[in-house]
Amino acid sequence: MAPATIMAGARRLVSSRRRTEAPRRRPSPSTLPKKLRPMSEIMARAKYAVVERADYSDIICEQCGSGERPGELLLCDKCDKGFHMRCLRPIVVRIPIGSWLCPKCSGHRRVRTFSQKRIIDFFKIQKSGDGKKKCNLSQDTRKRRRRPLVLLKKRRRLLPFIPSEDPNQRLKQMGTLASALTAMQMEFSDDLTYSSDMAPRSANQAKFENGGMQVLSREDMETLELCRSMSRRGECPPFIVVFDSCEGYTVEADAQIKDMTFIAEYTGDVDYIKNRENDDCDSMMTLLLATNPSESLVICPDKCGNIARFINGINNHTPEGKKKQNCKCVRYSVNGECRVLLVATRDIAKGERLYYDYNGYEHEYPTHHFV
């Protein structure tokens, strides 16, 4: 009864104030408030509206029919139905921030196919009049480099990836990546990008790393530059991006990959960790762990990135999950800047999917739901 008494007293107080106020002037036509649209019209044009229930105790998962584990039930903001995070396909690892729509309400984007010209334009492949000669030249270069690099493998030196010899196969591989990036509404970028509203490039200095960072050797820098130059010519690494109903987009080897082969550099927008504390992007990568936590950086591949964005993580809570790991992320100092490289940790067979440990540096990412 106390709240009702307070409300009644408040209404009496407002009434007494209104009686003692001076008469208000009639507003001029120029200051009249705009006519608001009726709620029926707003509701008719709205895509959907969220209506809160008084009681959610009867919510069950639409997939398994169980109401158990309520802490893992997600409610669609359109149909208001419940779904277990592990029952969704692909699974949802952690509770999204903001509104969330179930697969039926969100709709599935049609996978776009890319012609040869569109693939060249999408990846900004460097055009050359003597393309055949260039390709042969690059193959000769690899032949000359391959032997000393294999000998250096015992000292854990990076190996360059070997592109598929068939140009049509390379176009197919790049086409799968272009389709996945487009479906995620991302642009392709093989470099770290810096925006004015995020961290500046001057913030990315390896000397800020707490405890120091290993420096990429001269031989490995040559391997990195060789792979980057091949990619710019359209001689991409032999991988394809496929969609799995359980894992979402994932990456498969389209040829045999040797241990210690460079796979890709992890790219995207560089931002301070403090700016991304409430970000639900599931692919952020640690770039710099500074002595001053406010200077620590992450890579955010939500707007731009490359094939590294689609390499999935292992479930590092199970022995079976750990066995699936076949590559790793390593942070290096390259010319004084922090960079993250993905490297094969063992021989990878053709058709095998790529996995690495999301918790290579920290143990904060929830991987217990991973398959």
Side-chain angles (χ1 to χ4, degrees), residues 13-117:
L13 181 59
V14 170
S15 301
S16 63
R17 283 182 177 176
R18 285 180 178 173
R19 284 197 295 270
T20 58
E21 288 177 353
R24 298 181 181 179
R25 295 182 179 179
R26 297 176 65 88
S28 61
S30 59
T31 60
L32 284 173
K34 294 182 179 179
K35 184 179 179 181
L36 300 177
R37 290 183 298 170
M39 182 58 69
S40 58
E41 181 181 346
I42 296 175
M43 295 293 290
R45 294 187 179 184
K47 293 182 179 180
Y48 60 90
V50 180
V51 180
E52 294 290 339
R53 295 190 196 179
D55 183 18
Y56 284 92
S57 60
D58 59 341
I59 290 293
I60 62 172
C61 175
E62 296 296 316
Q63 298 292 335
C64 67
S66 170
E68 297 179 356
R69 307 191 310 275
E72 298 179 9
L73 275 171
L74 297 179
L75 290 180
C76 176
D77 286 322
K78 186 175 182 180
C79 66
D80 213 29
K81 295 179 179 179
F83 298 85
H84 279 125
M85 298 164 66
R86 281 189 284 183
C87 293
L88 289 164
R89 295 294 181 268
I91 62 174
V92 177
V93 179
R94 53 186 176 184
I95 299 174
I97 298 174
S99 61
W100 176 81
L101 300 181
C102 69
K104 183 177 180 180
C105 293
S106 61
H108 297 283
R109 295 182 179 271
R110 187 172 62 89
V111 178
R112 296 175 59 183
T113 57
F114 288 75
S115 63
Q116 178 177 345
K117 182 180 183 304

